[in-house]
Amino acid sequence: MYIKNEKIEFKGKDSKDPFSFRYYDKKRVINGKTMGEHLKFAMSWWHTVNASGTDMFGGDTMSKTFGLSGMDMYKAKADFAFELMRKLGIDYYCFHDVDVAPEGETLGESVKNLEIMTDYLLQKQKETGIKPLWVTANMFGDKKFMAGAATSPCADVFAVAAGKVKAGIDAAVKLGAKGYVFWGGREGYDTLLNTDMALELHNLGRFMRMARDYGRSHGFDGDFYIEPKPKEPTKHQYDFDAATCANFLRANGLEADFKLNIEANHATLAGHTFNHELRVAAVNGMFGSIDANQGDMLLGWDTDQFPTNVYETTLAMYEVIKAGGFTNGGLNFDAKARRQSNTLEDTVLSYIAGMDAFALGLIKAYQIIDDGRIDAFIKERYSSYESGMGKRIVDGEETLESLAAYAADLKDIKVQSGRQEYLEAVMNDILFSGDTE
Ligand code: XLS
Ligand code: NI
Ligand code: NI
């Protein structure tokens, strides 16, 4: 027992018990699915089980070694992780290879350690029914990855990265994960003065095709994901944003097997909103999964805070619902308690805050849809494409010449008001004066 609280229960919105859910009622059915099925929460291993408060200017503020070292420590961490997930009612987890098992001196040794630990995880999964949402390989931490993995100028690094991804896919299959993530931490550059961009991009495409081919011939039937991020740690990352990744996937023939894993804080780093990135993924048929967190607009880096802004979670869940909901994906809390929130209770409270913020976001997103004013406004705004000339344009029946002839004598064309302020007031109405039932 690492966590002194018992199972966290739903107690309703009037509950003042900090160790209770006010909105997340896992079994509550909304529009034919339970909240648990809508939200598919996952725990991030790296932040939750490993991160200990270190920042650029200072060391640890909390210990997560449980007084142990070596394989025993990794097993204790797994015990803690499963206890936390069970107590919070979280059914999924996400991890990098190096999060769950110690690294050896060679790739071969690391893979052996990973196998020992995935045996252990499998046993914990059987006891609890918890599974990974997705697996990934850390190809940015070790110094050999300083110039990237698949985009490294060093071919041996490309080879080691391939071996890590092979082991990661094997782990995903063994543990029943339906996702494999590529977050290209250092797949980018710091200066073009030393970079062959064309070769790096081709190698990145080659690498992902190798992963796809290996996965598909070795029992991985889930989704591969790219997780866009524009920068940090590199100055420019090739997976810049959802639009860039969609183009990259199509250019490399990967669009049938890959989707996008959208992270809120990465969206804002790219100068976009979270819901913009979700919309771009959906428009491209690549909506897959979410790394749920939030940044601090005044700091501007990837602070990975727990998402508590209900306006944002509402807009995000509106996009998720419109995209048809999660299939293989889910909501991974790629988030960590603040450096000063340095107790295990803070970890529990952080998850409660994030889960409740998304549960409330889900409730409010359905209220927007049921209310209908926003959807009706959009439909009406584009109604000129539903009949007459507009419909013929959409049906592909017009040409530049036919349109020029049609438009030649048009006078006094009126475009209707966009009504932004009215729509923002509708949002306030739904968010702040509606009920939560
Ligand atoms: C870092 C990323 C990372 C990925 C997994 O910014 O968010 O945590 O989600 O490698
Ligand atoms: Ni992430
Ligand atoms: Ni991130």
Side-chain angles (χ1 to χ4, degrees):
M1 270 259 293
Y2 294 101
I3 302 163
K4 47 179 195 285
N5 313 88
E6 291 308 311
K7 206 166 177 341
I8 307 300
E9 308 280 358
F10 168 73
K11 294 197 178 163
K13 70 177 160 65
D14 296 327
S15 169
K16 297 281 181 274
D17 174 2
F19 293 98
S20 68
F21 293 116
R22 271 147 286 193
Y23 305 103
Y24 185 54
D25 183 3
K26 193 173 178 181
K27 296 256 152 62
R28 172 176 163 190
V29 175
I30 299 183
N31 205 39
K33 279 203 290 192
T34 64
M35 279 188 137
E37 290 162 344
H38 276 290
L39 294 163
K40 292 183 67 185
F41 289 131
M43 182 203 78
S44 64
W45 203 284
W46 53 103
H47 287 312
T48 313
V49 185
N50 294 339
S52 45
T54 308
D55 73 8
M56 301 280 271
F57 301 93
D60 294 357
T61 57
M62 53 191 116
S63 167
K64 290 183 180 164
T65 64
F66 305 106
L68 297 164
S69 62
M71 206 56 97
D72 288 343
M73 177 182 77
Y74 282 87
K75 289 187 175 162
K77 281 170 179 277
D79 294 343
F80 164 70
F82 277 81
E83 184 188 337
L84 179 73
M85 290 187 276
R86 191 178 53 73
K87 289 187 167 171
L88 286 164
I90 291 180
D91 298 331
Y92 301 94
Y93 63 103
C94 299
F95 67 95
H96 304 81
D97 49 357
V98 306
D99 297 339
V100 298
E103 274 189 280
E105 299 234 331
T106 60
L107 171 68
E109 273 176 40
S110 299
V111 172
K112 280 205 190 92
N113 290 343
L114 185 61
E115 278 163 8
I116 295 170
M117 277 309 298
T118 49
D119 284 344
Y120 193 71
L121 295 175
L122 196 56
Q123 182 195 322
K124 310 241 34 139
Q125 288 188 196
K126 285 192 180 132
E127 286 159 21
T128 57
I130 294 169
K131 282 203 308 195
L133 185 69
W134 51 256
V135 177
T136 188
N138 178 321
M139 306 197 293
F140 44 86
D142 189 81
K143 69 176 186 304
K144 67 176 150 305
F145 296 120
M146 72 179 188
T151 66
S152 173
C154 173
D156 282 353
V157 173
F158 187 103
V160 174
K164 277 168 77 81
V165 171
K166 176 182 174 295
I169 292 172
D170 290 343
V173 172
K174 176 170 167 182
L175 300 175
K178 293 288 176 200
Y180 187 89
V181 163
F182 287 91
W183 170 63
R186 296 187 196 272
E187 310 289 34
Y189 63 83
D190 291 323
T191 171
L192 283 178
L193 293 175
N194 65 13
T195 302
D196 182 344
M197 187 195 280
L199 178 65
E200 291 199 2
L201 283 169
H202 285 134
N203 279 351
L204 190 58
R206 267 188 266 279
F207 190 86
M208 289 188 185
R209 285 194 296 276
M210 286 178 194
R212 186 235 3 235
D213 295 344
Y214 178 78
R216 292 308 183 220
S217 58
H218 287 79
F220 179 67
D221 60 359
D223 290 323
F224 289 96
Y225 303 107
I226 295 187
E227 181 180 318
K229 186 176 183 182
K231 56 189 167 194
E232 199 203 294
T234 56
K235 165 170 119 165
H236 181 99
Q237 195 162 305
Y238 295 132
D239 308 331
F240 197 92
D241 60 3
T244 309
C245 291
N247 179 56
F248 175 85
L249 289 174
R250 285 204 196 90
N252 283 283
L254 293 163
E255 68 276 20
D257 300 277
F258 277 67
K259 292 192 164 81
L260 300 179
N261 179 39
I262 301 296
E263 178 163 323
N265 206 161
H266 297 182
T268 51
L269 269 179
H272 302 307
T273 57
F274 183 22
N275 57 327
H276 165 91
E277 287 292 85
L278 291 169
R279 182 76 63 94
V280 172
V283 163
N284 282 283
M286 292 175 184
F287 167 71
S289 204
I290 287 181
D291 269 11
N293 59 19
Q294 69 188 26
D296 185 315
M297 293 306 158
L298 296 183
L299 292 175
W301 65 85
D302 197 13
T303 54
D304 289 338
Q305 290 165 226
F306 269 87
T308 52
N309 181 331
V310 176
Y311 207 113
E312 291 295 323
T313 60
T314 301
L315 291 174
M317 288 315 297
Y318 177 81
E319 296 299 328
V320 173
I321 295 165
K322 293 281 178 177
F326 293 115
T327 49
N328 288 329
L331 272 167
N332 167 44
F333 286 102
D334 192 350
K336 58 181 172 218
R338 295 302 80 197
R339 189 164 188 265
Q340 296 182 59
S341 303
N342 62 343
T343 67
L344 287 185
E345 285 83 51
D346 286 299
T347 300
V348 177
L349 291 169
S350 303
Y351 270 94
I352 293 172
M355 291 163 78
D356 259 350
F358 265 96
L360 188 51
L362 173 71
I363 294 166
K364 290 292 169 185
Y366 268 111
Q367 284 180 7
I368 294 173
I369 292 167
D370 292 343
D371 174 275
R373 279 178 285 176
I374 288 178
D375 287 339
F377 183 86
I378 295 172
K379 187 164 169 32
E380 156 62 19
R381 188 162 184 243
Y382 294 90
S383 58
S384 71
Y385 287 95
E386 280 173 9
S387 62
M389 174 57 71
K391 183 159 190 317
R392 291 201 299 279
I393 291 174
V394 171
D395 290 345
E397 289 164 8
E398 295 293 336
T399 65
L400 220 55
E401 294 106 304
S402 70
L403 288 168
Y406 164 83
D409 301 319
L410 291 183
K411 267 195 223 128
D412 208 15
I413 298 171
K414 294 230 166 35
V415 179
Q416 84 173 70
S417 162
R419 293 264 193 277
Q420 180 170 337
E421 299 76 5
Y422 158 72
L423 296 166
E424 286 167 354
V426 169
M427 279 296 292
N428 283 349
D429 186 21
I430 293 167
L431 276 170
F432 301 110
S433 49
D435 61 28
T436 56
E437 301 310 314

